[in-house]
Amino acid sequence: MDKVLVTGGLGFIGSHTVVELQNEGYEVVIIDDLSNSSAEVLEGIEAITGIRPLFEQIDLKEKLDVENFFVRHSDIKGVIHFAASKAVGESVKEPLLYYENNISTLVYVLKELKKLPSAAFIFSSSCTVYGQADELPITENAPVKAAESPYGNTKQIGEEIIKDTCKIAPNLKAIALRYFNPIGAHKSVKIGELPIGVPQNLVPFITQTAIGLRDELSIFGDDYPTPDGTCIRDYIHVVDLAKAHVIALGRLLQGKNKSNYETFNLGTGKGSSVLEVVKSFEKVSGKKLNYKIVGRREGDIISAYADTNKANDDLGWKTELSLDEAMRSAWEWEQKVRG
Ligand code: WQD
């Protein structure tokens, strides 16, 4: 089976995607700089699939190291590129760190792919490129709006770089996958989300509050123009998301792509409010969550959820796992890690 590079493969979405790639029979090599992950994740992946992926600790900002990697692995057929910094708030404080890390690494990887006889490239993008969309649900034709953060801007710029490269490199074909809100953990409880420090995202903050690591959840505003006043998002189980990557890669390797640069929204198509996520957690865990309503968070959009028709029709993929299943798996993982 084909050999595939997964950059950032020890991270949250990366590790779940490595599992699904191995389940599909791919030979996987991981590059990770361990800046926001741990090599112990390799044990978790092997415990699930019985196969320990090849792993090289490389900083993709080191151009020569990237070149040498591709000399040693010239048989790579595809790359799934997760490696990037992804904290919205941090990106506002450290824009140059984000532009250097998220853009230079992408350029160096693409430069090597251009040299190969043919290459398939899957890019980890985000619904953040849409900002607050004017129409809901959000389709792939929704206008890309001025980014609300340097992090979001690196995703927009990244898509443009890939599109421009695919135009002049007939051997390169790419798909940008625009994630909505990934949550949950593998049912084996061997891998999951491992936020470092105080979690910025909702679901890890909920589970860390329930396990006693945080005193209470602050809900950022309940005065939005939504049914219960809290913001709405499309929370997608990370395993469903991982499976979409394998399908997208197969689409390119089997030449099923309609053009050599495509984009797909990856969501459930259903919006859930913050309070609905809290209620789902309380239902599946049997625990009352300690929370308080505070002021709005700067930069938050009111509502976002995906129009999934293109992914359903063209990728032949749709989500199978519910919000409750995602919250249950997140809770089981939290108890395993902190219990
Ligand atoms: C979800 C909702 C918060 C924490 C971000 C990135 C996006 C993607 C996913 C990378 C919002 C509320 C949150 C808390 C809260 N990341 N909230 N209390 O902001 O939709 O998306 O993460 O690709 O690009 O922008 O996710 O989980 O931070 O927030 O009330 O302690 O939960 O206000 O309404 P977000 P989130």
Side-chain angles (χ1 to χ4, degrees):
M1 197 51 163
D2 292 336
K3 185 177 187 179
V4 175
L5 164 63
V6 180
T7 71
L10 295 180
F12 174 37
I13 306 169
S15 55
H16 286 81
T17 301
V18 168
V19 164
E20 300 307 327
L21 285 166
Q22 290 187 326
N23 289 344
E24 198 66 20
Y26 286 99
E27 181 191 358
V28 176
V29 51
I30 291 171
I31 286 179
D32 202 300
D33 67 359
L34 300 182
S35 63
N36 191 23
S37 57
S38 156
E40 283 171 29
V41 172
L42 285 165
E43 317 304 334
I45 293 169
E46 185 177 10
I48 297 169
T49 64
I51 307 163
R52 191 179 184 82
L54 296 173
F55 164 57
E56 295 195 26
Q57 184 177 351
I58 293 175
D59 179 348
L60 293 171
K61 295 194 291 295
E62 299 300 331
K63 190 167 181 286
L64 278 180
D65 292 350
V66 179
E67 288 171 359
N68 293 335
F69 174 86
F70 277 91
V71 167
R72 285 183 283 109
H73 295 277
S74 57
D75 53 345
I76 277 175
K77 295 290 181 292
V79 175
I80 303 184
H81 185 59
F82 292 104
S85 303
K86 61 161 192 166
V88 174
E90 183 188 50
S91 79
V92 175
K93 299 189 190 90
E94 301 272 3
L96 288 178
L97 185 149
Y98 272 68
Y99 288 115
E100 181 186 38
N101 192 41
N102 294 5
I103 302 297
S104 69
T105 55
L106 171 64
V107 169
Y108 295 157
V109 170
L110 288 174
K111 279 186 155 193
E112 296 314 307
L113 290 184
K114 261 184 87 241
K115 299 173 188 171
L116 298 178
S118 82
F121 187 70
I122 305 294
F123 181 61
S124 168
S125 191
S126 168
C127 63
T128 202
V129 302
Y130 299 115
Q132 176 55 69
D134 300 325
E135 284 182 42
L136 295 170
I138 303 173
T139 72
E140 288 81 356
N141 300 321
V144 170
K145 291 196 173 174
E148 312 250 338
S149 69
Y151 160 75
N153 207 21
T154 65
K155 291 303 176 183
Q156 292 182 10
I157 296 167
E159 290 192 5
E160 292 303 314
I161 290 171
I162 298 160
K163 205 183 322 183
D164 289 344
T165 307
C166 288
K167 277 180 194 154
I168 53 91
N171 63 314
L172 179 61
K173 40 198 171 178
I175 289 175
L177 298 175
R178 293 170 174 170
Y179 313 154
F180 281 69
N181 287 55
I183 63 169
H186 193 268
K187 62 179 183 296
S188 65
V189 205
K190 301 283 186 194
I191 55 176
E193 192 167 9
L194 285 168
I196 294 174
V198 178
Q200 300 307 303
N201 291 131
L202 175 65
V203 171
F205 207 107
I206 287 175
T207 57
Q208 288 191 13
T209 300
I211 202 102
L213 205 55
R214 311 287 162 205
D215 294 336
E216 64 182 353
L217 168 73
S218 297
I219 294 183
F220 299 137
D222 68 347
D223 57 351
Y224 284 96
T226 62
D228 66 17
T230 62
C231 294
I232 292 169
R233 298 289 186 276
D234 185 334
Y235 296 94
I236 175 173
H237 196 299
V238 65
V239 172
D240 278 329
L241 189 64
K243 289 178 176 174
H245 287 74
V246 181
I247 292 170
L249 179 70
R251 175 182 175 84
L252 294 180
L253 293 177
Q254 293 146 35
K256 294 179 183 166
N257 50 305
K258 290 180 179 167
S259 69
N260 72 345
Y261 176 72
E262 297 175 300
T263 59
F264 291 96
N265 287 346
L266 297 183
T268 65
K270 181 182 177 310
S272 301
S273 74
V274 175
L275 282 172
E276 285 171 327
V277 173
V278 169
K279 285 188 184 62
S280 167
F281 174 78
E282 291 182 331
K283 181 171 82 172
V284 301
S285 66
K287 288 178 75 85
K288 186 89 186 72
L289 189 75
N290 193 16
Y291 68 85
K292 66 181 176 187
I293 307 289
V294 299
R296 295 182 174 191
R297 179 172 68 175
E298 180 73 27
D300 269 340
I301 58 168
I302 302 165
S303 180
Y305 50 94
D307 178 311
T308 58
N309 286 314
K310 187 180 175 190
N312 299 162
D313 298 345
D314 289 9
L315 278 188
W317 165 91
K318 65 181 174 59
T319 53
E320 295 163 357
L321 298 165
S322 67
L323 175 65
D324 287 354
E325 284 166 305
M327 294 309 289
R328 181 177 298 109
S329 65
W331 179 228
E332 284 167 2
W333 171 249
E334 187 68 62
Q335 293 174 96
K336 156 96 183 286
V337 170
R338 314 263 184 222

